[in-house]
Amino acid sequence: MHILLALLGIIGGGLFWWYRVRTLGSAASDVIDTAGKARGYLRRRKIRLQHEHSPLTAIDDPVLAAATVIFAIISEDTPVTDSHYEAVRDAIIDISDPEKADEAVIYAKWATGQIDDTVTVIEKTSPFLRQRLNDAEKRELIDMVGRAAAAVAVSPTYGQRVKKLKQKLGLEID
């Protein structure tokens, strides 16, 4: 009988400690989940605050800024079609990889849809581009705008927008 009681005591003790370890594991899992949620919340809040001011102020990549400016200039006062996407993508594909170019075109379409004023797009992105690009890259950006514009129908204000972009980038105006 005493062997049976010892065996039941050992089994009971083992079950007690198994339950305690399982409870501690569940608590640790809850802590990790909560920490992950808090980190995600902080990351989303940071992005939301950046985008709250303007989708243009959140741009931190020259390829993304270039795609946004090109898209805004060639799509001003014209219905946006698939040829606009292709024109911008073809213009920036030489300076980035295809996946990044696709993302840049998607963001450019969204950002220009939010702002809806090409002059504002030029005003907001040109200080960033002026700082990050050298003179050769600035001229290449103007050439990219020209190549994209040649592929689609552009508005009558196209020449004024390119002139404004040149001026804001600090290039010599023709």
Side-chain angles (χ1 to χ4, degrees):
M1 184 74 176
H2 65 290
I3 295 175
L4 184 61
L5 286 176
L7 187 60
L8 285 175
I10 291 172
I11 291 174
L15 287 174
F16 171 77
W17 285 108
W18 172 78
Y19 176 76
R20 295 282 291 172
V21 168
R22 196 178 98 204
T23 304
L24 287 175
S26 176
S29 177
D30 290 345
V31 167
I32 291 170
D33 287 346
T34 303
K37 287 178 183 178
R39 190 178 68 195
Y41 170 78
L42 292 174
R43 191 178 320 129
R44 286 188 306 276
R45 183 174 184 271
K46 178 184 172 190
I47 291 170
R48 187 177 35 220
L49 288 175
Q50 287 176 338
H51 290 281
E52 194 173 89
H53 300 293
S54 169
L56 302 175
T57 58
I59 294 175
D60 61 352
D61 181 19
V63 173
L64 192 58
T68 305
V69 168
I70 295 168
F71 197 89
I73 291 173
I74 69 168
S75 66
E76 182 180 27
D77 297 333
T78 61
V80 177
T81 63
D82 288 340
S83 60
H84 286 86
Y85 301 116
E86 289 301 317
V88 175
R89 187 181 185 284
D90 291 344
I92 65 170
I93 196 74
D94 295 334
I95 60 171
S96 90
D97 60 83
E99 185 177 308
K100 189 173 183 180
D102 290 336
E103 290 176 16
V105 172
I106 291 168
Y107 187 87
K109 177 196 177 277
W110 175 78
T112 55
Q114 297 294 314
I115 300 300
D116 214 26
D117 181 31
T118 303
V119 175
T120 304
V121 173
I122 294 170
E123 294 280 338
K124 296 282 186 182
T125 57
S126 58
F128 174 75
L129 289 168
R130 186 176 187 164
Q131 176 187 8
R132 297 288 297 264
L133 303 178
N134 61 34
D135 286 341
E137 291 169 334
K138 291 174 187 175
R139 285 190 288 281
E140 183 180 357
L141 174 61
I142 299 300
D143 291 340
M144 289 168 31
V145 172
R147 285 195 310 266
V152 296
V154 293
S155 73
T157 58
Y158 166 76
Q160 295 171 350
R161 301 305 180 234
V162 172
K163 188 175 182 180
K164 177 89 169 166
L165 179 60
K166 284 182 182 179
Q167 177 187 14
K168 288 295 184 177
L169 290 176
L171 294 175
E172 191 173 309
I173 300 172
D174 303 334

